[in-house]
Amino acid sequence: MSSQERLMKVLVAPHVSEKSTLVADKARQVVFRVLPDARKPEIKKAVELMFEVEVAKVSVCNLPGKAKNFGRLRGRRPGLRKAYVTLRPGHDIDFLGAE
């Protein structure tokens, strides 16, 4: 797999929640779900490549999966890795495409 193909797969999806919208408004950050083995430089390059913006900083957060009971069976939800991407002034990502 080439590095270009790897960068296209690093970002799984945008993470939309109350906290992510607050962070987007206050700190000009965008939150993405990323691959479990993704590193900060890869995430930065992937965002710059896919959205044509300049990234100032990347912070990464690992969330463990919750333990759940399914009747008698004890199960576990999968974990999650999120990336908080801070954009440089003057740059913005518009997921809706509205102008």
Side-chain angles (χ1 to χ4, degrees), residues 51 92-99:
F51 298 104
D92 191 25
I93 296 176
D94 185 18
F95 292 112
L96 300 177
E99 294 188 21

Side-chain angles (χ1 to χ4, degrees), residues 68-75:
K68 289 291 186 179
N69 294 326
F70 301 101
R72 286 182 167 190
L73 301 174
R74 186 135 173 97

Side-chain angles (χ1 to χ4, degrees), residues 53-98:
V53 295
E54 289 184 25
V55 174
K57 185 175 91 168
V58 176
S59 300
V60 177
C61 175
N62 290 315
L63 299 174
K66 289 183 175 181
K68 289 291 186 179
N69 294 326
F70 301 101
R72 286 182 167 190
L73 301 174
R74 186 135 173 97
R76 187 161 197 86
R77 287 187 181 168
L80 174 67
R81 184 172 174 95
K82 295 192 299 186
Y84 289 83
V85 179
T86 305
L87 302 175
R88 292 197 185 268
H91 293 271
D92 191 25
I93 296 176
D94 185 18
F95 292 112
L96 300 177

Side-chain angles (χ1 to χ4, degrees), residues 5-62:
E5 291 174 16
R6 166 74 179 168
L7 289 179
M8 296 302 280
K9 293 180 180 181
V10 166
L11 301 178
V12 176
H15 184 79
V16 180
S17 65
E18 283 185 50
K19 182 178 178 182
S20 67
T21 54
L22 289 174
V23 167
D25 291 339
K26 287 185 178 183
R28 210 172 46 255
Q29 288 183 336
V30 183
V31 184
F32 292 100
R33 292 182 185 181
V34 295
L35 293 177
D37 61 341
R39 301 291 173 243
K40 289 181 183 183
E42 283 183 322
I43 296 167
K44 179 178 179 178
K45 287 180 186 176
V47 171
E48 289 177 345
L49 175 72
M50 293 177 77
F51 298 104
E52 298 175 357
V53 295
E54 289 184 25
V55 174
K57 185 175 91 168
V58 176
S59 300
V60 177
C61 175
N62 290 315

